[in-house]
Amino acid sequence: MEQFSGVSVVKKANVYFEGKVTSRTVFLADGSKVTLGIMLPGTYEFGTDSREIMEILSGDLSVLLPGEETWLEIKGEGTFHVPAQSKFKLEVRSVTDYCCSYPA
Amino acid sequence: MEQFSGVSVVKKANVYFEGKVTSRTVFLADGSKVTLGIMLPGTYEFGTDSREIMEILSGDLSVLLPGEETWLEIKGEGTFHVPAQSKFKLEVRSVTDYCCSYPA
């Protein structure tokens, strides 16, 4: 059972798309941040401020990264990178558990 | 922005009711556990193992506690206690953010 230890967790959730996408913010010991989230089935477009690494812990979804014409398919686990200041699209087909990190 | 500090967070989510109820498990510094969760609109029945204190951080829901005939109404914030080894019902009307603790 993988855990983040020695961290701080913001009590209140982050809620997007009427609760179909939600996350909790975790501050790691080194000061960096991750968000642990859930996405329910649906089609979403997200914008990034900083660079993001999206680790899919479980799920079934398609991802259209900025500048790409081909959707990336993830069933089960997977990871993709999103540039800063960009937009990406997701088609989520089943409940998807994720960990998003924001490398400097 | 209230936080739990010096804690461990389990990376994977707990998923119930096809993702309409999800939570993350947080182990506090004293060894006790809380779960930070989201409930989407719906009607749910939950069973407890140990005693639970449910703190509603935001939401709109009705709660039927064991042995009660009157539903408790919560709009916004609220807290209720559930005995060990019991069942309770929830009617969730809007996205509900909660913190559940399990006192010894």
Side-chain angles (χ1 to χ4, degrees), chain A residues 17-71:
Chain A
F17 298 104
E18 299 177 321
K20 292 179 75 179
V21 178
T22 58
S23 70
R24 305 275 167 179
T25 301
V26 178
F27 293 103
L28 305 186
D30 65 3
S32 66
K33 181 179 84 167
V34 302
T35 52
L36 293 171
I38 290 284
M39 298 185 287
L40 296 190
T43 301
Y44 310 106
E45 184 173 68
F46 294 97
T48 64
D49 290 324
S50 60
R51 192 157 68 91
E52 296 185 3
I53 300 175
M54 275 286 277
E55 178 187 1
I56 304 300
L57 305 172
S58 67
D60 182 356
L61 68 163
S62 302
V63 184
L64 187 63
L65 291 170
E68 298 293 328
E69 292 182 358
T70 306
W71 291 73

Side-chain angles (χ1 to χ4, degrees), chain B residues 16-17 20-22 35 37-48 52-66 68 70-75 78-82 86-100:
Chain B
Y16 311 99
F17 298 104
K20 292 179 76 179
V21 178
T22 58
T35 52
I38 290 283
M39 297 185 288
L40 296 188
T43 302
Y44 310 106
E45 184 173 69
F46 293 97
T48 64
E52 296 185 3
I53 300 175
M54 274 286 278
E55 179 188 2
I56 304 300
L57 304 171
S58 68
D60 182 354
L61 69 162
S62 302
V63 185
L64 187 63
L65 291 170
E68 297 293 329
T70 306
W71 291 72
L72 171 69
E73 303 295 328
I74 298 175
K75 283 183 204 286
T79 300
F80 57 92
H81 292 237
V82 189
S86 65
K87 289 184 175 177
F88 64 106
K89 291 181 181 173
L90 296 179
E91 285 183 6
V92 175
R93 287 179 293 272
S94 72
V95 180
T96 293
D97 188 8
Y98 71 86
C99 176
C100 186

Side-chain angles (χ1 to χ4, degrees), chain A residues 1-15 18-20 22-24 26-27 36-38 40-41 55 57-58 77 95-99, chain B residues 1-15 18-20 22-24 26-27 36-38 40-41 55 57-58 77 95-99:
Chain A
M1 189 171 67
E2 194 177 351
Q3 298 187 9
F4 292 109
S5 297
V7 301
S8 295
V9 183
V10 178
K11 196 171 180 183
K12 284 205 167 195
N14 311 305
V15 178
E18 299 177 321
K20 292 179 75 179
T22 58
S23 70
R24 305 275 167 179
V26 178
F27 293 103
L36 293 171
I38 290 284
L40 296 190
E55 178 187 1
L57 305 172
S58 67
E77 302 179 356
V95 180
T96 293
D97 188 9
Y98 71 86
C99 176
Chain B
M1 190 171 66
E2 194 177 350
Q3 298 187 10
F4 292 108
S5 296
V7 302
S8 295
V9 183
V10 178
K11 196 171 182 183
K12 283 206 167 193
N14 311 305
V15 178
E18 299 178 320
K20 292 179 76 179
T22 58
S23 70
R24 304 276 168 180
V26 178
F27 293 102
L36 294 170
I38 290 283
L40 296 188
E55 179 188 2
L57 304 171
S58 68
E77 301 180 357
V95 180
T96 293
D97 188 8
Y98 71 86
C99 176

